[in-house]
Amino acid sequence: MRRSEEFVPKWVAPGRVNIIGEHTDYNDGFVLPIALPLVVECRAEARTDGRVRVVSRQRPGETVLVAVSELAAERDRVPGWSRYPLGVVSEFARRGYARDGIDLELDGAVPIGAGLSSSAALSCAVAVALRDLFAPTVTDRELIDLARAAENDYAGVPTGLLDQSASILCTAGHALFLDVRRLVAHDGVAHEQIPFDLDRFGLELLVIDTGQPHALIDGGYARRRAQCEAAAAALDVPALRDIESPAAVDRIGDAVLRRRARHVVTENARVLTIAEKLRGGADPREIGPILTAAHESLRDDFEVSTPALDAAVSAALDTGAHGARMVGGGFGGSVIALVDRDDTASVADAVRDRFARSGFEVPRTFVVVAGAGAHRIV
């Protein structure tokens, strides 16, 4: 008989918002995310019949029950949402972490499709639960790779390591500076916690969810990855991380590939600049123009913005935001705006007014602070 819910262990993993560093992770580059206070919860306990049971509060009345030994064979027959938790179980099994079965009960507060990494939060919540229950020697680094593999290979989403790294490694009150190449290669210090305390400066980070969900499983994201690989090949380097001068991308003959490469090269530079400013204790207002420049690059060079994202950025800037940009993979999702605390409400109102006049859905707006990474809470 199942134990009372209050005695079932529970783990949480956060979504993330990237301060800076979009589409740099799969180019071996640099990223600077924070974990959100919004999390996915996972209650988990072992079962003895060799099966995985998954339920979600966001999918009432829907139960998925699959034998661990049949996870690979059943992959195309289970509901799409369940492929994230089942993929994590499958990856644990593939790597030899034996168990008889597992009950997973999920509940998520990270908006789905908003560019805030709800899928990584889901995968990482399950991953930390399985590690604590079955494989306590698994390191954070392996856990990140395991969760990424589950999303790539089982859910079919071609993500890099950014989302899972943020969900696992972030700490409260800090931004996570991550060197993806070093993380992958286990080469020295790959990450650093940099203080990110906007409240001390009278600032807030406003998230504007446009209500236009993006889906990384669609083709646009995969095409951008392929274009970046082609651009690196044209420049005869392992990855665009190896190009430091934006002028170097002018050697690429294809105009589209040239634009894609220019975004990645300049975005890496923006990450390093913002990390250095925050590391040195600068007033975060100084990073505002860099955030806006990142949006312009994502809009013009990487071409992953949308009219709604552009409208949100424009309205925020027109109402006094120090900087604003789209976040996540693009093609929908959310915008962040760096605002004075006293201006937050007026910026949010201005965005809603702009959306109403433009015929867009009413956006959801909320303030976020740098939260903690994945952990057990019960």
Side-chain angles (χ1 to χ4, degrees):
M1 179 179 294
R2 197 183 187 288
R3 289 184 290 172
S4 172
E5 182 177 279
E6 63 184 280
F7 296 109
V8 178
K10 181 166 68 174
W11 290 259
V12 297
R16 67 99 186 97
V17 67
N18 224 7
I19 303 304
I20 195 74
E22 302 295 359
H23 294 277
T24 51
D25 58 336
Y26 56 80
N27 287 292
D28 278 3
F30 309 102
V31 293
L32 190 70
I34 61 171
L36 298 178
L38 306 173
V39 299
V40 170
E41 297 181 355
C42 174
R43 290 186 180 272
E45 59 180 338
R47 50 190 295 152
T48 59
D49 61 358
R51 295 193 292 180
V52 186
R53 172 182 167 270
V54 185
V55 296
S56 169
R57 186 162 293 181
Q58 283 65 53
R59 301 281 178 168
E62 189 171 357
T63 299
V64 179
L65 190 64
V66 184
V68 173
S69 61
E70 296 295 321
L71 282 170
E74 292 294 317
R75 184 245 177 231
D76 293 330
R77 290 190 281 272
V78 298
W81 68 268
S82 71
R83 291 175 189 169
Y84 295 93
L86 292 177
V88 175
V89 179
S90 178
E91 191 64 21
F92 263 83
R94 190 186 70 80
R95 297 186 185 207
Y97 301 116
R99 85 206 136 273
D100 292 324
I102 186 79
D103 264 331
L104 300 171
E105 298 185 358
L106 308 169
D107 188 13
V110 185
I112 297 172
L116 304 177
S117 299
S118 59
S119 59
L122 170 56
S123 299
C124 289
V126 175
V128 294
L130 293 181
R131 176 178 67 177
D132 288 358
L133 290 174
F134 300 116
T137 61
V138 169
T139 64
D140 284 347
R141 174 63 190 84
E142 186 177 359
L143 202 65
I144 291 165
D145 183 66
L146 193 151
R148 179 206 55 79
E151 290 202 51
N152 289 181
D153 302 335
Y154 202 88
V157 182
T159 66
L161 286 169
L162 161 61
D163 299 345
Q164 299 82 10
S165 297
S167 194
I168 297 295
L169 297 175
C170 278
T171 61
H174 295 80
L176 175 73
F177 175 74
L178 182 66
D179 181 330
V180 175
R181 173 171 284 173
R182 285 192 168 186
L183 181 73
V184 171
H186 298 269
D187 178 19
V189 178
H191 68 276
E192 173 190 358
Q193 306 290 344
I194 299 178
F196 190 68
D197 182 6
L198 297 182
D199 185 64
R200 184 165 69 92
F201 294 89
L203 293 166
E204 290 185 326
L205 193 65
L206 179 68
V207 174
I208 304 158
D209 179 0
T210 66
Q212 296 182 344
H214 75 159
L216 297 189
I217 200 169
D218 292 340
Y221 183 90
R223 280 194 298 275
R224 295 306 184 279
R225 290 193 67 154
Q227 288 165 343
C228 288
E229 292 171 3
L235 293 169
D236 196 28
V237 292
L240 291 175
R241 146 73 173 269
D242 298 293
I243 303 298
E244 296 183 0
S245 170
V249 306
D250 292 339
R251 302 199 310 267
I252 301 174
D254 183 275
V256 172
L257 298 186
R258 192 162 59 244
R259 290 197 300 272
R260 304 298 186 256
R262 184 165 53 235
H263 165 71
V264 174
V265 173
T266 58
E267 186 79 345
N268 274 325
R270 285 185 284 269
V271 175
L272 295 175
T273 298
I274 287 181
E276 185 61 28
K277 286 181 177 295
L278 295 177
R279 192 182 290 120
D283 186 329
R285 291 172 178 83
E286 294 183 19
I287 76 173
I290 306 174
L291 301 181
T292 304
H295 181 76
E296 293 167 351
S297 180
L298 287 159
R299 180 192 66 204
D300 300 335
D301 281 340
F302 223 66
E303 298 179 283
V304 293
S305 190
T306 67
L309 292 167
D310 294 340
V313 168
S314 177
L317 294 173
D318 289 347
T319 319
H322 298 286
R325 71 173 192 87
M326 57 151 284
V327 295
F331 310 105
S334 298
V335 159
I336 56 170
L338 182 65
V339 298
D340 289 323
R341 187 189 303 118
D342 293 342
D343 293 340
T344 301
S346 60
V347 171
D349 287 343
V351 172
R352 282 190 286 269
D353 180 66
R354 181 74 60 89
F355 272 43
R357 288 188 283 110
S358 301
F360 300 134
E361 295 182 20
V362 178
R364 177 188 179 194
T365 61
F366 50 96
V367 171
V368 296
V369 296
H375 60 282
R376 179 173 172 166
I377 61 173
V378 175

